[in-house]
Amino acid sequence: MALSGIQIFKMLPKKNCKECGCPTCMAFSMKVAQGAMKIEQCPHVSSEALEALSEATAPPMKTIKVGTGEGEYTLGGETVLFRHEKTYVNKTRYAVSLCSCMDDAEVDAKIAAIPAVDYERIGERMQVELVYVNYAAAAGADKYLELVKKAAATGKTLVLGVDDVEVAKAALEITKAGKPILNGANASNYEAMNALAKDADVVLGVGGANLDEIYDTVAAIEKLGNKNLVIDATGATIKETYANAVQIRRAALKDQDRTFGYPSIVNVAKVARGDRHLQEALVSLFTMKYGSIVVLENMGYAEALPLFGLRQNVFTDPQKPMKVEPGLYQMNGADENSICLTTVDFALTYFLVSGELEKSGVPINLIINDAGGLSVLTSWAAGKFSGNTISTFIKENIEDKVKSRKLIIPGKVAVLKGDLEAKLPGWEIIVAPLEAVQLVKFLKDMQAAGEC
């Protein structure tokens, strides 16, 4: 259980806090209990007390890192069951499944398709992040090791799905520098698998026939001194897998049972094999409930666009709106002579407006103002999207980049037309329709009239 402020206070050395500049010990203890400060900020606490307090005040779900460099991902660390309670911390990561049971042509086609999905949305890169490499004993160890080499060559972080200790050892020799997950520990092999994972300094994945077996295996591995773990929540059926994922997360966060306080792997490629549409639905489900890594058979744009959009919404702080980077966005082959249109940096507004602008086919310079991530009317009411802010932004960031002096403003802030004409001498201010969906006809009519 997490410690209260009083419990933390009793373990502090009670020094003169004016010397170190932190609040009184009681105030400091309360802030630590609330998560507002870290226990390490007290310079007088002993190493023994620090270790005990750090463990007791840590999130009920352990934070685990996998991979290296650009492929390093942080999993777990969650503190709430529901996003609206506070916020989710570390986003679900998506993996594509390979298996040594596949023929070479299928493997090569899937590997070739992995780089195809790679784009940026609201400052976040959207791509296949991990590759799950599954061992099929019937295909033999040599074929699996060749598959591991091919998967490693993609540059993606790997999850090695193998429970054969000797094969796992050989696979780690190939991949351990990339810090993969070794997902194959169970009740029958956990000691040997744990030794391999610790020697290679990689995360160990733990599974089992049911939750009781998984729990006992995790507890046994913890007794061996290893807490660098993830839990494979995949069951025999979709229903069992869902129940596992939810019960593991509830046990950790609601019951404060740290034996289940680890990130989880959910392999929908296993429970919905061959059904691409069902897998996509399940990935969306387990993005919310509660997969840290979700594995599917394929990730094309048909899967990526809705899944990454969902993930970005779920794992965004609900108190901080999603924003796009303010600046100049040239659309439909626009150049410095193309007409300008401005709107706010609220992500939803940007996507609605930019989508309609693309449909119109009219070359246009889209100017995104810094409006604090608020919608048009909200930012206008708050004074963040006003004649002053728009004119200042254009003078400082846009005027030297464009020759056009025609500016279209949102119809909902038509009241700004006169103010902008006064503050932007030489500019023609044009009021757009009230709704984004009307922009296509509006712009095409302007183009036909030779106005843009």
Side-chain angles (χ1 to χ4, degrees):
M1 294 290 288
L3 297 184
S4 67
I6 298 295
Q7 290 171 313
I8 294 172
F9 175 72
K10 290 178 180 179
M11 299 179 70
L12 292 178
K14 318 299 188 301
K15 295 284 185 178
N16 179 359
C17 291
K18 291 182 180 179
E19 294 178 1
C20 57
C22 57
T24 64
C25 283
M26 178 56 77
F28 176 76
S29 301
M30 293 300 179
K31 287 182 178 293
V32 171
Q34 296 164 5
M37 297 186 76
K38 295 184 180 296
I39 191 65
E40 294 87 349
Q41 291 176 248
C42 176
H44 304 296
V45 66
S46 67
S47 57
E48 293 80 10
L50 178 61
E51 184 177 349
L53 284 166
S54 296
E55 177 71 18
T57 58
M61 174 175 286
K62 194 170 179 63
T63 300
I64 299 293
K65 289 186 179 294
V66 301
T68 59
E70 291 185 358
E72 181 179 85
Y73 302 110
T74 303
L75 311 173
E78 304 298 343
T79 59
V80 294
L81 280 173
F82 305 105
R83 175 179 177 266
H84 64 263
E85 293 180 284
K86 188 176 180 182
T87 185
Y88 289 155
V89 180
N90 292 306
K91 64 176 70 72
T92 299
R93 300 296 178 172
Y94 299 139
V96 166
S97 176
L98 299 175
C99 180
S100 58
C101 59
M102 299 174 181
D103 60 40
D104 291 343
E106 184 178 1
V107 168
D108 292 343
K110 292 188 72 170
I111 289 177
I114 289 173
V117 175
D118 191 349
Y119 62 96
E120 189 172 298
R121 182 179 188 268
I122 319 179
E124 182 181 327
R125 189 177 180 188
M126 310 297 193
Q127 61 173 333
V128 175
E129 292 144 331
L130 302 101
V131 175
Y132 190 99
V133 192
N134 192 61
Y135 171 60
D142 291 341
K143 187 174 181 181
Y144 180 70
L145 297 177
E146 286 302 313
L147 179 60
V148 169
K149 291 176 183 177
K150 286 185 177 182
T154 65
K156 303 295 183 181
T157 300
L158 303 187
V159 183
L160 303 174
V162 52
D163 57 6
D164 184 297
V165 176
E166 292 304 316
V167 177
K169 183 177 181 180
L172 282 176
E173 287 299 319
I174 298 168
T175 62
K176 63 182 178 182
K179 300 297 180 187
I181 296 173
L182 175 59
N183 185 36
N186 55 47
S188 64
N189 69 2
Y190 71 87
E191 291 180 296
M193 295 293 280
N194 177 64
L196 285 179
K198 290 182 72 174
D199 287 345
D201 190 25
V202 299
V203 175
L204 180 62
V206 185
N210 52 55
L211 279 180
D212 289 338
E213 185 175 300
I214 294 172
Y215 187 92
D216 291 342
T217 305
V218 171
I221 293 172
E222 287 182 327
K223 288 180 181 178
L224 296 174
N226 189 1
K227 294 187 177 182
N228 195 24
L229 309 174
V230 296
I231 296 174
D232 192 335
T234 312
T237 64
I238 295 170
K239 180 179 179 180
E240 184 181 335
T241 301
Y242 178 73
N244 288 351
V246 172
Q247 289 184 53
I248 288 169
R249 183 66 59 94
R250 287 184 63 85
L253 302 190
K254 293 286 286 183
D255 301 334
Q256 300 285 302
D257 189 335
R258 292 179 184 265
T259 302
F260 266 162
Y262 295 97
S264 59
I265 296 175
V266 178
N267 193 337
V268 303
K270 178 180 177 182
V271 296
R273 181 174 288 113
D275 192 331
R276 192 164 185 166
H277 300 296
L278 178 57
Q279 286 184 34
E280 185 174 357
L282 290 174
V283 175
S284 66
L285 170 66
F286 287 110
T287 298
M288 298 181 286
K289 300 276 188 183
Y290 291 102
S292 302
I293 296 173
V294 182
V295 186
L296 68 167
E297 286 183 307
N298 299 285
M299 173 72 86
Y301 273 104
E303 293 85 7
L305 292 174
L307 291 177
F308 283 123
L310 170 69
R311 185 181 76 173
Q312 193 166 50
N313 281 306
V314 170
F315 286 89
T316 299
D317 188 337
Q319 297 180 8
K320 296 179 182 178
M322 287 192 292
K323 303 192 299 181
V324 295
E325 188 70 23
L328 178 65
Y329 294 78
Q330 294 184 318
M331 307 189 67
N332 302 327
D335 58 25
E336 58 186 9
N337 297 306
S338 302
I339 194 169
C340 301
L341 180 147
T342 189
T343 191
V344 296
D345 58 350
F346 179 43
L348 180 57
T349 299
Y350 168 80
F351 283 114
L352 287 173
V353 171
S354 63
E356 297 302 324
L357 296 182
E358 287 179 355
K359 287 181 188 177
S360 75
V362 176
I364 195 159
N365 289 309
L366 176 58
I367 300 170
I368 299 297
N369 281 265
D370 184 354
L374 303 176
S375 65
V376 171
L377 285 178
T378 307
S379 59
W380 170 73
K384 294 179 180 293
F385 192 58
S386 64
N388 282 331
T389 60
I390 295 171
S391 60
T392 299
F393 185 81
I394 287 177
K395 287 176 181 178
E396 293 179 354
N397 302 280
I398 305 299
E399 276 192 332
D400 60 344
K401 298 177 182 177
V402 298
K403 292 180 179 179
S404 172
R405 289 299 182 261
K406 290 185 178 182
L407 177 66
I408 302 172
I409 63 173
K412 291 182 178 178
V413 289
V415 68
L416 296 178
K417 176 178 168 63
D419 193 21
L420 283 169
E421 286 174 338
K423 290 183 167 64
L424 290 172
W427 283 77
E428 178 186 352
I429 307 302
I430 303 167
V431 178
L434 290 174
E435 301 297 336
V437 71
Q438 297 171 300
L439 282 171
V440 175
K441 182 179 185 304
F442 176 78
L443 290 172
K444 285 186 174 181
D445 287 348
M446 285 187 67
Q447 188 180 49
E451 297 177 19
C452 65

